[in-house]
Amino acid sequence: MKAKLLLASALLATTTLAMAEQPIATVNGQNISKKLQDYWVAELVANGGQDTPEVRAQILDNLVAGVIVEQEAKKMDVEKQPKVQFALQYAKFRILQDVLTQEYLKKHPITEKQIKAYYDEQVAKLDKKQYEVRHILVNDKKTADELLAKIKKGESFELLAKQHSKDEGAKDTAGYLGWYSPSSFVKPFASALEKMKKGELSKAPVQTEFGWHIIRVEDTRDQPIPSFDSVKKQITLNLEQQQRNQYIENLLNKAKVEYPAVPLKK
């Protein structure tokens, strides 16, 4: 998205910045300034790119192509087309919003304390355990009771799952679902799972919106907790996005917005 905004901003700014302060190319009499190239290079470097002669040459080629396209579009009165006017206005809106929120974040950076607090909050919400689960899913309680009785008498859970489960995905794996936290399942299934131990079979079929389940826990383990350092960057990005959204919402709340009394026609 940032790359698209950069390209859009560069193309929109070509005419504005193509002043006489040291052109690096002239296209049909229209100058392209070094300042515009420098701006693009700076953005690339800020996002992990490199400032090399090859990169600058490629950028210049892109700017030249942009000017040529812009000139041809003017000849064809392309800018007068409603769709083009909308696209240009929308690109301007996105660019201004991006820059405005970036400036806001520079003045109100996310702190280490905020990041750590968010991390601790999310860790506290995690389930304490993960369960390795198999299940058999059927439509009615009678069938579920019959299958559960067969398993308790020694018949193969895996074979019965292949023969009777309507969960097509798990049916192919003999009812095996894999390792999951209880919160990954719908509430009745999760509640039953949390009461079970390694090797245990559900005492009775469990009803959910999908049908009736016979559950078996293959194994349990402690919930893996990601280290703070491993998720710090992602948390920072999440908090920055929240802060951007809050900033825009605050602007909306302060603005005087009026709508037509008569509903707009579709």
Side-chain angles (χ1 to χ4, degrees):
M1 177 59 74
K2 183 167 286 187
K4 290 181 179 179
L5 290 173
L6 175 59
L7 177 59
S9 62
L11 293 177
L12 288 171
T14 299
T15 302
T16 305
L17 296 180
M19 302 176 183
E21 51 83 14
Q22 191 185 349
I24 52 175
T26 303
V27 182
N28 298 322
Q30 181 175 335
N31 290 338
I32 298 176
S33 79
K34 185 175 182 300
K35 184 176 181 180
L36 183 56
Q37 184 193 50
D38 290 342
Y39 169 76
W40 199 330
V41 169
E43 285 293 313
L44 287 175
V45 171
N47 288 281
Q50 293 184 330
D51 182 0
T52 66
E54 293 77 17
V55 168
R56 284 185 173 270
Q58 182 61 58
I59 289 173
L60 181 55
D61 288 343
N62 290 340
L63 291 173
V64 168
V67 171
I68 293 171
V69 169
E70 180 186 27
Q71 291 174 347
E72 188 64 22
K74 286 182 178 179
K75 290 179 185 178
M76 303 291 291
D77 285 333
V78 171
E79 287 187 27
K80 295 181 181 180
Q81 296 179 18
K83 288 184 178 180
V84 176
Q85 290 180 0
F86 165 77
L88 289 172
Q89 184 62 37
Y90 184 70
K92 179 181 178 181
F93 160 73
R94 292 304 302 270
I95 292 165
L96 292 176
Q97 177 177 275
D98 188 60
V99 173
L100 182 65
T101 54
Q102 285 183 30
E103 290 298 317
Y104 179 80
L105 286 174
K106 286 180 183 178
K107 296 177 181 178
H108 305 83
I110 301 298
T111 66
E112 187 81 5
K113 184 178 180 180
Q114 287 176 291
I115 300 170
K116 187 62 168 61
Y118 183 91
Y119 172 80
D120 291 340
E121 179 183 347
Q122 297 306 309
V123 167
K125 292 179 180 179
L126 291 175
D127 293 305
K128 304 305 179 186
K129 282 189 175 183
Q130 285 190 332
Y131 297 77
E132 189 179 23
V133 187
R134 287 186 190 272
H135 83 142
I136 300 173
L137 176 63
V138 294
N139 286 321
D140 57 90
K141 187 176 185 300
K142 180 181 177 183
T143 303
D145 285 334
E146 291 173 353
L147 291 174
L148 182 58
K150 289 181 179 181
I151 296 168
K152 288 180 177 179
K153 288 179 181 180
E155 291 195 35
S156 169
F157 186 105
E158 290 81 357
L159 182 59
L160 291 174
K162 287 182 178 181
Q163 292 174 341
H164 299 281
S165 183
K166 71 171 188 173
D167 182 346
E168 293 299 328
K171 185 176 181 179
D172 294 337
T173 59
Y176 185 72
L177 296 176
W179 285 97
Y180 286 96
S181 302
S183 58
S184 301
F185 298 104
V186 293
K187 190 169 181 58
F189 195 108
S191 297
L193 199 59
E194 288 176 321
K195 298 173 185 176
M196 296 173 67
K197 299 176 181 179
K198 177 180 177 179
E200 193 173 356
L201 188 69
S202 53
K203 292 181 174 60
V206 178
Q207 185 180 22
T208 72
E209 60 196 89
F210 304 105
W212 291 84
H213 305 258
I214 302 168
I215 305 169
R216 190 173 79 189
V217 173
E218 303 290 280
D219 203 353
T220 64
R221 66 186 181 190
D222 291 336
Q223 172 78 12
I225 306 296
S227 68
F228 176 70
D229 288 338
S230 70
V231 294
K232 181 178 177 180
K233 183 176 181 181
Q234 186 57 53
I235 291 175
T236 303
L237 293 174
N238 290 344
L239 291 176
E240 285 180 346
Q241 187 57 52
Q242 290 179 20
Q243 195 148 297
R244 285 190 185 93
N245 294 341
Q246 187 60 55
Y247 175 53
I248 297 299
E249 185 176 340
N250 291 341
L251 291 177
L252 288 171
N253 291 335
K254 293 177 183 177
K256 181 180 179 181
V257 181
E258 298 177 351
Y259 297 98
V262 181
L264 297 175
K265 295 182 179 180
K266 293 184 179 179

mmCIF file of all heavy atoms in Angstrom, residues 85-107:
data_model
loop_
_atom_site.group_PDB
_atom_site.id
_atom_site.type_symbol
_atom_site.label_atom_id
_atom_site.label_comp_id
_atom_site.label_asym_id
_atom_site.label_seq_id
_atom_site.Cartn_x
_atom_site.Cartn_y
_atom_site.Cartn_z
ATOM 1 N N GLN A 85 -11.449 11.565 -12.382
ATOM 2 C CA GLN A 85 -11.517 12.600 -11.358
ATOM 3 C C GLN A 85 -11.693 11.977 -9.973
ATOM 4 O O GLN A 85 -11.061 12.411 -9.007
ATOM 5 C CB GLN A 85 -12.685 13.549 -11.658
ATOM 6 C CG GLN A 85 -12.447 14.420 -12.886
ATOM 7 C CD GLN A 85 -13.612 15.343 -13.175
ATOM 8 O OE1 GLN A 85 -14.616 15.344 -12.458
ATOM 9 N NE2 GLN A 85 -13.497 16.128 -14.224
ATOM 10 N N PHE A 86 -12.540 10.955 -9.916
ATOM 11 C CA PHE A 86 -12.728 10.267 -8.643
ATOM 12 C C PHE A 86 -11.423 9.608 -8.198
ATOM 13 O O PHE A 86 -11.039 9.698 -7.027
ATOM 14 C CB PHE A 86 -13.822 9.212 -8.757
ATOM 15 C CG PHE A 86 -13.826 8.239 -7.603
ATOM 16 C CD1 PHE A 86 -14.345 8.614 -6.372
ATOM 17 C CD2 PHE A 86 -13.283 6.966 -7.734
ATOM 18 C CE1 PHE A 86 -14.327 7.732 -5.296
ATOM 19 C CE2 PHE A 86 -13.262 6.092 -6.666
ATOM 20 C CZ PHE A 86 -13.786 6.471 -5.445
ATOM 21 N N ALA A 87 -10.744 8.914 -9.123
ATOM 22 C CA ALA A 87 -9.512 8.198 -8.778
ATOM 23 C C ALA A 87 -8.446 9.162 -8.280
ATOM 24 O O ALA A 87 -7.727 8.879 -7.312
ATOM 25 C CB ALA A 87 -9.005 7.415 -9.980
ATOM 26 N N LEU A 88 -8.326 10.324 -8.947
ATOM 27 C CA LEU A 88 -7.334 11.318 -8.537
ATOM 28 C C LEU A 88 -7.676 11.886 -7.156
ATOM 29 O O LEU A 88 -6.795 12.069 -6.314
ATOM 30 C CB LEU A 88 -7.262 12.447 -9.567
ATOM 31 C CG LEU A 88 -6.628 12.098 -10.913
ATOM 32 C CD1 LEU A 88 -6.807 13.243 -11.903
ATOM 33 C CD2 LEU A 88 -5.149 11.765 -10.743
ATOM 34 N N GLN A 89 -8.945 12.185 -6.957
ATOM 35 C CA GLN A 89 -9.371 12.722 -5.669
ATOM 36 C C GLN A 89 -9.161 11.701 -4.557
ATOM 37 O O GLN A 89 -8.714 12.035 -3.456
ATOM 38 C CB GLN A 89 -10.848 13.125 -5.735
ATOM 39 C CG GLN A 89 -11.369 13.795 -4.469
ATOM 40 C CD GLN A 89 -10.634 15.097 -4.163
ATOM 41 O OE1 GLN A 89 -10.292 15.843 -5.075
ATOM 42 N NE2 GLN A 89 -10.372 15.364 -2.890
ATOM 43 N N TYR A 90 -9.449 10.421 -4.877
ATOM 44 C CA TYR A 90 -9.287 9.370 -3.872
ATOM 45 C C TYR A 90 -7.809 9.159 -3.550
ATOM 46 O O TYR A 90 -7.440 8.971 -2.385
ATOM 47 C CB TYR A 90 -9.890 8.064 -4.388
ATOM 48 C CG TYR A 90 -9.845 6.946 -3.363
ATOM 49 C CD1 TYR A 90 -10.641 6.994 -2.230
ATOM 50 C CD2 TYR A 90 -8.996 5.854 -3.536
ATOM 51 C CE1 TYR A 90 -10.605 5.976 -1.280
ATOM 52 C CE2 TYR A 90 -8.944 4.837 -2.590
ATOM 53 C CZ TYR A 90 -9.754 4.899 -1.473
ATOM 54 O OH TYR A 90 -9.692 3.901 -0.540
ATOM 55 N N ALA A 91 -6.944 9.208 -4.594
ATOM 56 C CA ALA A 91 -5.499 9.070 -4.369
ATOM 57 C C ALA A 91 -4.998 10.214 -3.488
ATOM 58 O O ALA A 91 -4.197 9.996 -2.565
ATOM 59 C CB ALA A 91 -4.760 9.058 -5.706
ATOM 60 N N LYS A 92 -5.498 11.418 -3.750
ATOM 61 C CA LYS A 92 -5.101 12.578 -2.947
ATOM 62 C C LYS A 92 -5.539 12.395 -1.494
ATOM 63 O O LYS A 92 -4.777 12.666 -0.557
ATOM 64 C CB LYS A 92 -5.721 13.847 -3.529
ATOM 65 C CG LYS A 92 -5.386 15.113 -2.747
ATOM 66 C CD LYS A 92 -6.055 16.335 -3.363
ATOM 67 C CE LYS A 92 -5.758 17.587 -2.553
ATOM 68 N NZ LYS A 92 -6.429 18.784 -3.135
ATOM 69 N N PHE A 93 -6.768 11.922 -1.332
ATOM 70 C CA PHE A 93 -7.295 11.683 0.011
ATOM 71 C C PHE A 93 -6.436 10.673 0.765
ATOM 72 O O PHE A 93 -6.062 10.886 1.917
ATOM 73 C CB PHE A 93 -8.741 11.176 -0.098
ATOM 74 C CG PHE A 93 -9.241 10.457 1.125
ATOM 75 C CD1 PHE A 93 -9.551 11.152 2.278
ATOM 76 C CD2 PHE A 93 -9.379 9.073 1.126
ATOM 77 C CE1 PHE A 93 -9.998 10.490 3.413
ATOM 78 C CE2 PHE A 93 -9.821 8.402 2.255
ATOM 79 C CZ PHE A 93 -10.131 9.112 3.395
ATOM 80 N N ARG A 94 -6.070 9.562 0.106
ATOM 81 C CA ARG A 94 -5.275 8.526 0.763
ATOM 82 C C ARG A 94 -3.877 9.026 1.114
ATOM 83 O O ARG A 94 -3.340 8.720 2.175
ATOM 84 C CB ARG A 94 -5.181 7.282 -0.134
ATOM 85 C CG ARG A 94 -6.486 6.530 -0.317
ATOM 86 C CD ARG A 94 -7.087 6.116 1.000
ATOM 87 N NE ARG A 94 -6.180 5.273 1.780
ATOM 88 C CZ ARG A 94 -6.120 3.964 1.716
ATOM 89 N NH1 ARG A 94 -6.927 3.311 0.903
ATOM 90 N NH2 ARG A 94 -5.272 3.276 2.461
ATOM 91 N N ILE A 95 -3.299 9.799 0.194
ATOM 92 C CA ILE A 95 -1.949 10.338 0.439
ATOM 93 C C ILE A 95 -1.969 11.293 1.627
ATOM 94 O O ILE A 95 -1.131 11.201 2.536
ATOM 95 C CB ILE A 95 -1.414 11.056 -0.818
ATOM 96 C CG1 ILE A 95 -1.165 10.030 -1.930
ATOM 97 C CG2 ILE A 95 -0.124 11.807 -0.503
ATOM 98 C CD1 ILE A 95 -0.992 10.659 -3.295
ATOM 99 N N LEU A 96 -2.936 12.197 1.636
ATOM 100 C CA LEU A 96 -3.024 13.168 2.728
ATOM 101 C C LEU A 96 -3.305 12.474 4.056
ATOM 102 O O LEU A 96 -2.732 12.833 5.093
ATOM 103 C CB LEU A 96 -4.116 14.201 2.428
ATOM 104 C CG LEU A 96 -3.827 15.158 1.265
ATOM 105 C CD1 LEU A 96 -5.028 16.058 1.007
ATOM 106 C CD2 LEU A 96 -2.592 16.005 1.556
ATOM 107 N N GLN A 97 -4.172 11.480 4.033
ATOM 108 C CA GLN A 97 -4.478 10.750 5.260
ATOM 109 C C GLN A 97 -3.247 10.030 5.778
ATOM 110 O O GLN A 97 -2.959 10.040 6.984
ATOM 111 C CB GLN A 97 -5.598 9.733 5.001
ATOM 112 C CG GLN A 97 -5.925 8.883 6.218
ATOM 113 C CD GLN A 97 -7.086 7.944 5.973
ATOM 114 O OE1 GLN A 97 -8.245 8.312 6.118
ATOM 115 N NE2 GLN A 97 -6.789 6.721 5.579
ATOM 116 N N ASP A 98 -2.497 9.406 4.860
ATOM 117 C CA ASP A 98 -1.297 8.673 5.254
ATOM 118 C C ASP A 98 -0.262 9.607 5.869
ATOM 119 O O ASP A 98 0.304 9.319 6.921
ATOM 120 C CB ASP A 98 -0.712 7.951 4.036
ATOM 121 C CG ASP A 98 0.428 7.022 4.422
ATOM 122 O OD1 ASP A 98 0.200 6.098 5.209
ATOM 123 O OD2 ASP A 98 1.553 7.238 3.938
ATOM 124 N N VAL A 99 -0.028 10.718 5.209
ATOM 125 C CA VAL A 99 0.971 11.660 5.704
ATOM 126 C C VAL A 99 0.527 12.286 7.020
ATOM 127 O O VAL A 99 1.319 12.428 7.957
ATOM 128 C CB VAL A 99 1.244 12.763 4.655
ATOM 129 C CG1 VAL A 99 2.164 13.836 5.229
ATOM 130 C CG2 VAL A 99 1.871 12.156 3.403
ATOM 131 N N LEU A 100 -0.746 12.656 7.095
ATOM 132 C CA LEU A 100 -1.273 13.286 8.310
ATOM 133 C C LEU A 100 -1.135 12.369 9.519
ATOM 134 O O LEU A 100 -0.686 12.790 10.596
ATOM 135 C CB LEU A 100 -2.740 13.661 8.111
ATOM 136 C CG LEU A 100 -3.424 14.382 9.282
ATOM 137 C CD1 LEU A 100 -2.803 15.748 9.512
ATOM 138 C CD2 LEU A 100 -4.916 14.510 9.028
ATOM 139 N N THR A 101 -1.510 11.104 9.348
ATOM 140 C CA THR A 101 -1.432 10.170 10.473
ATOM 141 C C THR A 101 0.021 9.841 10.830
ATOM 142 O O THR A 101 0.341 9.629 11.997
ATOM 143 C CB THR A 101 -2.208 8.879 10.175
ATOM 144 O OG1 THR A 101 -1.760 8.309 8.927
ATOM 145 C CG2 THR A 101 -3.705 9.157 10.091
ATOM 146 N N GLN A 102 0.896 9.817 9.829
ATOM 147 C CA GLN A 102 2.315 9.608 10.121
ATOM 148 C C GLN A 102 2.876 10.765 10.948
ATOM 149 O O GLN A 102 3.662 10.556 11.885
ATOM 150 C CB GLN A 102 3.105 9.452 8.820
ATOM 151 C CG GLN A 102 2.921 8.105 8.133
ATOM 152 C CD GLN A 102 3.768 7.978 6.891
ATOM 153 O OE1 GLN A 102 4.838 8.555 6.787
ATOM 154 N NE2 GLN A 102 3.283 7.214 5.922
ATOM 155 N N GLU A 103 2.485 11.961 10.583
ATOM 156 C CA GLU A 103 2.934 13.129 11.345
ATOM 157 C C GLU A 103 2.396 13.075 12.779
ATOM 158 O O GLU A 103 3.096 13.429 13.734
ATOM 159 C CB GLU A 103 2.461 14.414 10.657
ATOM 160 C CG GLU A 103 3.162 14.726 9.343
ATOM 161 C CD GLU A 103 4.656 14.954 9.534
ATOM 162 O OE1 GLU A 103 5.033 15.650 10.497
ATOM 163 O OE2 GLU A 103 5.442 14.417 8.728
ATOM 164 N N TYR A 104 1.165 12.611 12.914
ATOM 165 C CA TYR A 104 0.575 12.498 14.256
ATOM 166 C C TYR A 104 1.349 11.487 15.094
ATOM 167 O O TYR A 104 1.616 11.721 16.283
ATOM 168 C CB TYR A 104 -0.890 12.082 14.140
ATOM 169 C CG TYR A 104 -1.572 11.926 15.484
ATOM 170 C CD1 TYR A 104 -2.032 13.032 16.179
ATOM 171 C CD2 TYR A 104 -1.746 10.670 16.045
ATOM 172 C CE1 TYR A 104 -2.642 12.903 17.421
ATOM 173 C CE2 TYR A 104 -2.358 10.525 17.283
ATOM 174 C CZ TYR A 104 -2.807 11.644 17.969
ATOM 175 O OH TYR A 104 -3.405 11.505 19.193
ATOM 176 N N LEU A 105 1.723 10.359 14.472
ATOM 177 C CA LEU A 105 2.458 9.332 15.204
ATOM 178 C C LEU A 105 3.858 9.789 15.596
ATOM 179 O O LEU A 105 4.388 9.359 16.624
ATOM 180 C CB LEU A 105 2.552 8.056 14.360
ATOM 181 C CG LEU A 105 1.258 7.235 14.257
ATOM 182 C CD1 LEU A 105 1.440 6.082 13.282
ATOM 183 C CD2 LEU A 105 0.836 6.715 15.620
ATOM 184 N N LYS A 106 4.444 10.644 14.791
ATOM 185 C CA LYS A 106 5.763 11.188 15.144
ATOM 186 C C LYS A 106 5.671 12.024 16.415
ATOM 187 O O LYS A 106 6.577 12.017 17.248
ATOM 188 C CB LYS A 106 6.301 12.056 14.003
ATOM 189 C CG LYS A 106 6.785 11.271 12.794
ATOM 190 C CD LYS A 106 7.296 12.209 11.719
ATOM 191 C CE LYS A 106 7.733 11.449 10.467
ATOM 192 N NZ LYS A 106 8.186 12.369 9.396
ATOM 193 N N LYS A 107 4.567 12.743 16.560
ATOM 194 C CA LYS A 107 4.376 13.586 17.727
ATOM 195 C C LYS A 107 3.848 12.794 18.925
ATOM 196 O O LYS A 107 3.993 13.221 20.074
ATOM 197 C CB LYS A 107 3.408 14.727 17.400
ATOM 198 C CG LYS A 107 3.932 15.685 16.338
ATOM 199 C CD LYS A 107 2.898 16.747 16.008
ATOM 200 C CE LYS A 107 3.400 17.692 14.928
ATOM 201 N NZ LYS A 107 2.365 18.704 14.563
#
